[in-house]
Amino acid sequence: MQKSIEVEYWVVDQDGALADPGELTEYSAFVEEEFVYPLLEVKTPPCETYSALRSTFVELLDELLLKADELDKMLVPLGTPLNSESIEVRPSERSRIQKRVLGDNFAYAKHCAGTHLHFEKRNVTDQLNVLASLDPALCLLNSSPYFQGERVANSARAYIYRKKCYEYFPLHGQLWDYVNTVGQWERQLDRLFDSFKRASMNEGVEENDIDASFSPQDIVWTPVRLRDEMPTVEWRAPDTSLPSQILRLAEEIGTIMEQLHHAEVRIEGATGNVTEERITIPEFDAVLDYVEEAIHDGRESSELSAYLERMGFDVREYEPLTQKIDGHEYVSLDEAREIRLRYGRRLRRDVDDLTRS
């Protein structure tokens, strides 16, 4: 099964201030600008094996960090910038329309950096449902509890993205219920595209401009998405984090995705369990309860950790960065810059360790 990784990192200067990536996004086709200036995205090509994915990801990051050193910049693996001055959006028609429709809530998205894992489409209905049931595993990469200096949740990114940015358009940004068929999923996309178009036109956006910037396939920013590229099912629940942690999660999620080829998928109860013959996922309401724990309490929730262990994760092997950063109700701008520098150096050491091993 082919799989790939997309991960977003903040770019900072030598003082820890957020910075434009500049030439960092020019040297490789696998490094791209994001919709806000101080963020870039690293994208691996599709890889058939985990070992190929690992080596490709590490090599890309190592080259990128060497280039960053030349430019006196650093990459930072935090789900939010903790606290910052104003973050500017790169001009685009797509962002302009989102701002018109979402209003001031669109600003929350400017503070979010995440990890996206792609898996080749196979048993698509089962893939969609199982990935939805694994949404609580986002806690394994929680990497910032702060939004604009205030402590808001164990995963500030997941909280502000789902609860605030898409507060008035929940189906556009929050987890969807299980589906019986792919057709059911696609019909939901069509309905949401129509509703977004109506909302945009009510805000004075021309229909032609909407159709030029959006389609039913890219109208949602949900934790699980169907993508035409490769084509894949995309799991985009967790924060950005250290590469070693992302790779661990990619391998464990990938193992479950591989099991779908020969295991029965059953929806039952509230506990969940993965065996060689069967993948039992909880009723959706139970999953939502686990998701709330993942966002607010993180891995510290014993009930959540037990669920993830039953689903095949070695929870004790993860070290969410939130646990190291947390402890204050407020982080100042100066403190945020220092923490960003600290974790920029941590990212460099992590890549060095992966390169040596």
Side-chain angles (χ1 to χ4, degrees):
M1 172 186 287
Q2 291 195 321
K3 68 277 291 179
S4 62
I5 293 172
E6 298 174 353
V7 58
E8 299 160 342
Y9 288 120
W10 301 104
V11 181
V12 300
D13 61 22
Q14 293 299 302
D15 295 321
L18 298 178
D20 189 321
E23 296 176 30
L24 287 176
T25 58
E26 298 174 4
Y27 89 99
S28 170
F30 301 110
V31 181
E32 298 181 355
E33 296 176 346
E34 263 295 331
F35 84 104
V36 293
Y37 281 101
L39 202 62
L40 58 72
E41 184 174 52
V42 180
K43 306 173 71 168
T44 72
C47 299
E48 188 66 40
T49 65
Y50 172 74
S51 61
L53 181 66
R54 181 186 186 281
S55 61
T56 300
F57 186 44
V58 173
E59 288 171 11
L60 277 172
L61 284 172
D62 188 45
E63 293 174 7
L64 180 61
L65 291 174
L66 289 173
K67 185 67 175 178
D69 288 342
E70 294 175 10
L71 300 173
D72 290 327
K73 294 179 180 179
M74 301 176 73
L75 303 187
V76 178
L78 301 177
T80 73
L82 307 174
N83 196 356
S84 67
E85 304 288 356
S86 176
I87 296 176
E88 298 298 320
V89 176
R90 293 184 185 276
S92 75
E93 188 67 3
R94 186 177 172 87
S95 293
R96 183 187 72 83
I97 294 172
Q98 286 180 266
K99 175 66 170 66
R100 291 286 292 273
V101 177
L102 299 179
D104 291 341
N105 282 4
F106 181 60
Y108 288 106
K110 298 190 298 183
H111 299 261
C112 298
T115 296
H116 308 158
L117 304 179
H118 289 258
F119 301 98
E120 181 183 352
K121 286 182 182 177
R122 290 192 177 176
N123 308 43
V124 179
T125 302
D126 285 343
Q127 287 176 306
L128 290 170
N129 292 341
V130 170
L131 286 175
S133 78
L134 299 180
D135 192 59
L138 69 88
C139 74
L140 300 174
L141 296 190
N142 285 357
S143 59
S144 171
Y146 299 105
F147 169 68
Q148 288 304 80
E150 302 284 346
R151 192 195 186 285
V152 296
N154 201 276
S155 173
R157 168 191 166 271
Y159 176 79
I160 64 173
Y161 196 78
R162 301 186 190 197
K163 308 291 187 179
K164 298 297 185 180
C165 187
Y166 294 99
E167 180 179 7
Y168 303 113
F169 294 84
L171 286 177
H172 286 264
Q174 299 180 20
L175 189 66
W176 287 9
D177 201 344
Y178 302 140
V179 293
N180 295 317
T181 65
V182 176
Q184 181 183 348
W185 182 280
E186 292 173 340
R187 287 190 294 274
Q188 176 84 303
L189 287 175
D190 289 336
R191 288 192 295 270
L192 291 176
F193 177 70
D194 290 341
S195 67
F196 187 84
K197 178 182 284 191
R198 287 194 300 271
S200 301
M201 294 173 69
N202 288 340
E203 295 297 328
V205 181
E206 295 292 331
E207 183 174 5
N208 288 342
D209 292 339
I210 303 165
D211 290 335
S213 298
F214 298 93
S215 70
Q217 285 69 45
D218 61 15
I219 200 61
V220 296
W221 297 265
T222 50
V224 181
R225 293 173 66 183
L226 287 181
R227 303 298 297 270
D228 291 336
E229 299 95 319
M230 198 159 76
T232 66
V233 182
E234 179 188 18
W235 189 67
R236 45 190 287 120
D239 293 353
T240 189
S241 189
L242 296 173
S244 59
Q245 297 284 284
I246 292 171
L247 286 166
R248 180 180 300 279
L249 189 61
E251 183 174 21
E252 292 192 326
I253 294 274
T255 297
I256 298 170
M257 290 293 97
E258 292 284 359
Q259 285 181 255
L260 289 176
H261 303 319
H262 51 77
E264 174 194 7
V265 176
R266 175 180 296 181
I267 303 170
E268 181 178 277
T271 56
N273 190 49
V274 172
T275 66
E276 289 187 6
E277 295 80 23
R278 179 179 299 160
I279 298 174
T280 302
I281 60 178
E283 300 288 344
F284 189 67
D285 285 346
V287 171
L288 293 181
D289 289 339
Y290 288 127
V291 171
E292 288 299 303
E293 292 183 36
I295 292 173
H296 291 283
D297 302 323
R299 196 186 63 169
E300 289 83 348
S301 165
S302 57
E303 185 176 356
L304 172 61
S305 292
Y307 168 64
L308 295 177
E309 290 280 354
R310 291 193 299 271
M311 297 303 288
F313 298 94
D314 191 349
V315 174
R316 292 166 296 181
E317 291 299 314
Y318 290 88
E319 299 179 359
L321 299 183
T322 281
Q323 293 179 325
K324 307 292 185 182
I325 298 170
D326 209 351
H328 302 281
E329 288 303 311
Y330 185 78
V331 170
S332 69
L333 289 171
D334 287 342
E335 289 169 331
R337 284 192 286 268
E338 178 54 40
I339 294 171
R340 290 197 292 265
L341 288 174
R342 186 191 315 160
Y343 282 90
R345 293 189 289 269
R346 179 80 184 276
L347 174 64
R348 174 75 267 184
R349 293 196 301 272
D350 194 67
V351 173
D352 288 345
D353 290 344
L354 288 168
T355 302
R356 285 193 293 270
S357 63

